[in-house]
Amino acid sequence: HRLLLENAEQLVLVCGRREPYLRQDGAASLGVLRAASLVVGLDGCIKAVGQADVIRNQFSEATFERIIDCSGKCVLPGLVDAHTHPVWAGDRVHEFAMKLAGASYMEIHQAGGGIHFTVEHTRKATEEELFTSFQHRLERMLRAGSTLVECKSGYGLNLETELKMLRVIERAKKSMDIGISSTYCGAHAVPKGKTATEATEDIINNHLPKLKELRLSGEIHVNNIDVFCEKGVFDLESTRRILQAGKDIGLQINFHGDELHPMKSAELGAELGAQAISHLEEVTDEGIVAMARAKCAAVLLPTTAYMLRLKQPQARKMLEEGVIVALGSDFNPNAYCFSMPMVMHLACVNMKMSMNEALAAATINAAYALGKSDTHGSLEVGKQGDLLIINSSRWEHLIYQFGGHEALINYVIVKGKVIYENERCEAMSSY
């Protein structure tokens, strides 16, 4: 076998019965085992989870590539970041000062800043430059505990640059240990010199057919399609056409909706069978009910509302209505955050989620938002062996310590392989 984790103080299963997601009622019991062990096989999948003495007897004759003593420590599923924009060049630190001085997101966008500033720099950057910075960003996400990350294109807005970004993401999928779900987000903004209608036609007639061809030839494996459905960007009708065209070539629908204005994005997503919708700061009550019925996940991004001083998404109302709530960091030049533990902390404080709900939202439900909850997001036999070991006797420290993950996350493990080992943890107690 590949790995044995022995005698953890707490082993947090998240799900115990192959649930594809947890709603509010299910999140109360994350299934915490005490004095427990876990075994990962050579195929990278979990073979056994249970009481330490039972596992010791069951595997007394087995050999392991690695054994880690988890006494006094906690084992959790690897975190899943359901929404990031990690491939781009040129940071927007200068815009942070403008925002602090009161400029709104759309004011900066209309003045040629925002997405357009990043597009300009990303178009000029070589594939190599983009790959190098992307790799460093993924490594930082990994050290903060993310083992599966959704990665979007969307700073090209022309076919050539969008494909350049998707190739960079594809390269990381093949060369790095971190799990990646890739998203084509060519409808992230209306490119300069085009109307929204012209941009929509270009995407439907040129981008998507090319993407279909590259998927069939196996050159690029895109998972999701995204559109920024927003007033002054893509309206409901353009969004519908683009998402439907993406769905027709086999992409999962996973898009930005109802962020700055109520657009009825949630209702549209429910109708089209979207896997997930992100943002939803301005979602309507009808939209919430529609998403709950359609089992369409809500990917909430507490960093965005925090940085832009927007109204927080109504996480409590969504949970009470039975929506599947997931979390994402929204890492991008406007919200420079790599850390899902910080996102969970913000979700609890600013969106009034419980710690159990936040952990479920950053594991099983985020995996569900990417269509991967059958293999990721919980510690169950048969699932991929992606997990964290934290240097604390209670798992809640991962959320409670705001920005404390750098000395708290002891090991990050993907498919049973230790891909990050944190020396700082050995020298100190977490308290």
Side-chain angles (χ1 to χ4, degrees):
H1 292 79
R2 183 169 284 173
L3 178 72
L4 168 63
L5 303 183
E6 274 197 306
N7 199 35
E9 183 75 27
Q10 292 186 331
L11 199 145
V12 186
L13 303 174
V14 175
C15 298
R17 297 178 300 278
R18 301 304 280 187
E19 294 96 333
Y21 50 79
L22 292 177
R23 306 229 191 179
Q24 181 198 10
D25 46 6
S29 55
L30 293 171
V32 179
L33 301 181
R34 289 166 206 288
S37 298
L38 180 144
V39 173
V40 182
L42 289 172
D43 61 356
C45 293
I46 297 170
K47 298 298 166 202
V49 180
Q51 295 306 323
D53 45 0
V54 175
I55 300 275
R56 195 170 298 126
N57 291 338
Q58 194 182 335
F59 290 87
S60 56
E61 305 297 306
T63 53
F64 293 95
E65 283 179 5
R66 178 130 192 208
I67 297 173
I68 299 176
D69 177 9
C70 298
S71 304
K73 298 179 181 183
C74 295
V75 178
L76 298 99
L79 303 176
V80 181
D81 188 340
H83 184 122
T84 80
H85 301 260
V87 183
W88 44 268
D91 68 40
R92 305 212 301 257
V93 68
H94 60 286
E95 283 180 16
F96 189 47
M98 291 162 72
K99 286 189 203 97
L100 296 179
S104 79
Y105 177 85
M106 273 322 216
E107 281 163 5
I108 291 170
H109 186 73
Q110 277 145 7
I115 293 171
H116 292 303
F117 177 88
T118 306
V119 167
E120 216 173 296
H121 286 74
T122 306
R123 284 181 179 179
K124 285 184 199 146
T126 66
E127 200 165 312
E128 206 49 50
E129 286 165 343
L130 289 174
F131 179 72
T132 304
S133 58
F134 177 42
Q135 206 177 3
H136 290 314
R137 289 166 191 161
L138 287 175
E139 280 162 4
R140 285 179 72 176
M141 289 176 181
L142 204 58
R143 294 199 294 272
S146 293
T147 54
L148 172 60
V149 178
E150 184 265 2
C151 300
K152 301 176 192 295
S153 72
Y155 292 119
L157 309 185
N158 59 21
L159 181 55
E160 178 198 351
T161 315
E162 288 296 313
L163 291 178
K164 177 169 71 173
M165 295 179 76
L166 291 170
R167 278 197 301 272
V168 165
I169 296 170
E170 190 66 30
R171 204 170 134 189
K173 270 190 186 184
K174 292 197 170 83
S175 65
M176 293 183 73
D177 292 304
I178 194 167
I180 292 175
S181 174
S182 63
T183 301
Y184 163 74
C185 186
H188 194 199
V190 178
K192 286 184 175 168
K194 275 197 168 77
T195 64
T197 311
E198 289 166 342
T200 302
E201 297 303 328
D202 185 34
I203 287 166
I204 292 171
N205 300 327
N206 301 318
H207 292 212
L208 290 173
K210 185 68 184 167
L211 216 50
K212 182 180 178 180
E213 181 192 313
L214 292 170
R215 285 178 89 223
L216 289 172
S217 69
E219 280 175 68
I220 293 179
H221 301 89
V222 182
N223 306 100
N224 316 289
I225 182 152
D226 191 351
V227 174
F228 188 14
C229 180
E230 186 52 72
K231 197 170 161 183
V233 191
F234 290 92
D235 67 13
L236 207 62
E237 201 38 51
S238 303
T239 300
R240 175 194 297 277
R241 291 183 57 210
I242 296 168
L243 292 176
Q244 188 59 55
K247 189 179 180 178
D248 292 344
I249 65 164
L251 300 176
Q252 289 183 125
I253 296 177
N254 188 334
F255 71 112
H256 289 63
D258 297 331
E259 178 184 355
L260 306 170
H261 299 92
M263 298 285 294
K264 291 201 168 5
S265 305
E267 292 89 327
L268 175 70
E271 181 198 326
L272 292 178
Q275 186 71 27
I277 306 171
S278 290
H279 280 293
L280 302 165
E281 287 84 353
E282 297 288 342
V283 68
T284 63
D285 292 353
E286 296 75 30
I288 291 177
V289 170
M291 286 179 72
R293 271 200 208 116
K295 296 191 174 64
C296 169
V299 179
L300 304 185
L301 309 167
T303 52
T304 317
Y306 166 72
M307 304 274 280
L308 295 176
R309 298 170 173 155
L310 302 173
K311 151 176 127 185
Q312 292 284 338
Q314 302 178 70
R316 281 263 55 88
K317 187 171 176 65
M318 291 181 199
L319 287 161
E320 280 150 21
E321 294 285 351
V323 175
I324 301 158
V325 172
L327 289 169
S329 67
D330 196 14
F331 171 78
N332 75 77
N334 171 58
Y336 206 104
C337 173
F338 294 107
S339 164
M340 287 304 288
M342 291 178 89
V343 168
M344 290 189 286
H345 180 102
L346 288 172
C348 292
V349 175
N350 289 343
M351 301 197 310
K352 303 181 171 58
M353 291 174 74
S354 71
M355 286 191 282
N356 286 11
E357 287 166 344
L359 184 65
T363 53
I364 193 68
N365 290 358
Y368 174 84
L370 304 177
K372 288 185 179 284
S373 64
D374 54 337
T375 49
H376 293 72
S378 62
L379 301 183
E380 297 180 86
V381 172
K383 282 201 174 181
Q384 194 167 298
D386 293 1
L387 31 109
L388 311 179
I389 302 171
I390 66 166
N391 188 27
S392 169
S393 58
R394 286 189 57 170
W395 73 264
E396 291 93 344
H397 272 268
L398 191 61
I399 298 177
Y400 163 62
Q401 295 189 19
F402 188 48
H405 54 272
E406 292 182 354
L408 181 67
I409 295 176
N410 199 165
Y411 296 90
V412 179
I413 293 161
V414 172
K415 294 183 185 169
K417 212 170 91 183
V418 173
I419 54 175
Y420 170 59
E421 186 171 342
N422 187 349
E423 274 77 39
R424 287 186 206 168
C425 289
E426 300 314 321
M428 56 189 285
S429 141
S430 67
Y431 299 114

